[in-house]
């Protein structure tokens, strides 16, 4: 959902959690993967093969999702 360009509040609504929870989880991922920001987090997820390739090729409106292994 980050890759789609959704904000924290929109992601929270879709997942049924608060936007602060989304912020904390994104921050933890950035710390874990040692990346400086959200764009770098997306790039790292792609490097690790966590983005579903078939949907990633469709662009933001294609509904890119993390692969099931994530």
């Amino acid at each position: 959902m980050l890759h789609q360009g959704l904000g924290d509040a929109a992601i929270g609504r879709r997942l049924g959690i608060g936007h602060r929870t989304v912020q904390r989880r994104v921050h933890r991922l950035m710390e874990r993967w040692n990346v400086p920001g959200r764009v770098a987090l997306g790039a790292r997820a792609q490097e690790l093969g966590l983005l579903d390739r078939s949907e990633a090729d469709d662009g933001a409106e294609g509904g890119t999702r993390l692969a099931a292994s994530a």
Side-chain angles (χ1 to χ4, degrees):
M1 288 183 255
L2 287 173
H3 187 68
Q4 291 175 337
L6 295 177
D8 296 333
I11 292 170
R13 281 191 300 273
R14 286 190 180 191
L15 297 177
I17 59 177
H19 77 279
R20 289 287 296 140
T21 302
V22 174
Q23 289 173 345
R24 281 190 295 273
R25 290 181 181 181
V26 169
H27 182 74
R28 281 189 215 131
L29 282 172
M30 290 187 323
E31 286 179 337
R32 180 181 294 166
W33 290 348
N34 194 31
V35 296
R38 290 171 175 250
V39 173
L41 182 64
R44 185 72 178 125
Q46 190 167 11
E47 288 172 6
L48 294 171
L50 298 176
L51 296 178
D52 186 353
R53 265 294 191 214
S54 64
E55 293 182 22
D57 294 337
D58 291 339
E61 294 171 3
T64 302
R65 297 181 212 153
L66 287 178
S69 62

